[in-house]
């Protein structure tokens, strides 16, 4: 891809904006209660977390998911509106995003909008994570149509402040036009063995770090500092690093907490996300 290049001196510096977490989607709250509880712990630098019941909202409201959605929404309200100003460590301020699977552009538009409406009506999500989003130029008009409609739905609801947030889950650097189609792009999703030698797309230097997210699995504890330096250098403001690697029966390394969760939270530092 011709627009991939090694970072230049004009690129981000290690002293840029604070990093925060984007959680691609934990397991169901019954299977991962500790993970969901950690998202509302005061001081957790959470930007957003994805709710995924069955590759979407499911067929009916899930009471366990309703509970965690309410807790995360309440934590965000406390963080943004300062209901506990005497706390030295503020509440988490992350958004809850609904999971919409684009299937690389093969999902019908009407199906995606129906799922989006269910997420808004049942869980009052503050935005959407568009998983398996295509990265090529040809599907860009369809993605723009979808994101425009999603922004309109969020604007009509009372669940999304500031118009909500849309995150495109490419997992790689897409065509530059996608940068204008959503609020944030996931431009890397994969193993540490690839990430540590990865390059960044030159066009991303025109945008601030809050426009990009990186998800990396198999990151050893001893390489956390290096991984965070790479994220900052490549201009990513949102990360999720885990030492889980998909082995030993783990089908999704991002579905549970990394074993060094407390350590990485302390390294990034407490605060609200926005």
């Amino acid at each position: 891809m011709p627009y991939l290049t090694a970072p230049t001196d004009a690129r981000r510096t290690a002293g840029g904006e604070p990093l925060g977490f984007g959680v691609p989607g934990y397991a169901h709250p019954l299977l991962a209660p500790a993970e969901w509880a950690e998202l509302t712990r005061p001081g957790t630098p959470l930007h957003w977390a994805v709710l995924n019941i069955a590759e979407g909202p499911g067929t009916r409201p899930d009471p366990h998911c309703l509970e965690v959605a309410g807790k995360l929404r309440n934590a965000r309200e406390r963080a943004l509106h300062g209901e506990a100003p005497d706390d030295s460590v503020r509440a988490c301020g992350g958004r809850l995003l609904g999971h919409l699977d684009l299937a690389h552009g093969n999902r019908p538009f009407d199906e995606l909008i129906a799922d989006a409406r269910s997420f808004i009506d049942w869980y009052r999500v503050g935005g959407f994570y568009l998983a398996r989003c295509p990265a090529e130029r040809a599907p860009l008009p369809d993605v723009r149509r979808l994101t425009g409609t999603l922004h309109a739905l969020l604007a009509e609801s009372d669940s999304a402040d500031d118009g909500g947030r849309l995150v495109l889950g490419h997992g790689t650097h897409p065509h530059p036009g996608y940068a204008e189609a959503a609020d944030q792009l996931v431009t890397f999703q994969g193993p540490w063995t690839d990430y540590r030698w990865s390059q960044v797309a030159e066009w991303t230097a025109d945008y601030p770090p809050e426009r990009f997210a990186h998800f990396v699995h198999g990151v050893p504890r001893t390489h956390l500092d290096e991984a965070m330096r790479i994220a900052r250098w490549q201009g990513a403001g949102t990360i999720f690093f885990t030492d889980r690697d998909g082995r030993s029966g783990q089908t999704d390394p991002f579905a549970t907490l990394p074993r060094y969760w407390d350590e990485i939270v302390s390294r990034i530092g407490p605060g609200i996300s926005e």
Side-chain angles (χ1 to χ4, degrees), residues 251-265:
T251 56
D252 182 0
F254 300 111
T256 187
L257 284 172
R259 282 173 281 257
Y260 44 62
W261 173 255
D262 287 340
E263 181 175 346
I264 193 171
V265 168

Side-chain angles (χ1 to χ4, degrees), residues 84-145:
D86 54 328
D87 286 350
S88 59
V89 178
R90 299 293 300 280
C92 148
R95 299 175 189 265
L96 184 68
L97 306 183
H99 177 105
L100 299 178
D101 184 4
L102 271 60
H104 305 295
N106 293 317
R107 285 282 307 282
F109 177 84
D110 291 345
E111 283 186 14
L112 291 165
I113 296 303
D115 281 356
R117 291 185 184 277
S118 295
F119 267 122
I120 292 173
D121 293 344
W122 298 343
Y123 302 108
R124 298 184 61 201
V125 296
F128 295 100
Y129 179 77
L130 280 60
R132 297 201 290 172
C133 184
E136 301 80 14
R137 183 174 184 173
L140 179 55
D142 290 335
V143 174
R144 284 180 180 273
R145 177 192 178 206

Side-chain angles (χ1 to χ4, degrees), residues 228-248:
M228 286 190 281
R229 282 196 300 270
I230 293 172
R232 291 188 177 103
W233 184 253
Q234 294 195 3
T238 301
I239 61 168
F240 192 85
F241 296 158
T242 179
D243 53 350
R244 312 289 180 175
D245 56 13
R247 300 175 184 174
S248 303

Side-chain angles (χ1 to χ4, degrees), residues 219-230:
V219 181
R221 181 191 300 270
T222 53
H223 289 276
L224 270 179
D225 284 339
E226 181 184 356
M228 286 190 281
R229 282 196 300 270
I230 293 172

Side-chain angles (χ1 to χ4, degrees), residues 135 137 140 144 168 174-182 185 203 207 211:
R137 183 174 184 173
L140 179 55
R144 284 180 180 273
L168 302 183
H175 182 275
Y178 283 92
E180 303 304 323
L185 313 180
W203 61 264
Y207 297 90
R211 300 298 306 279

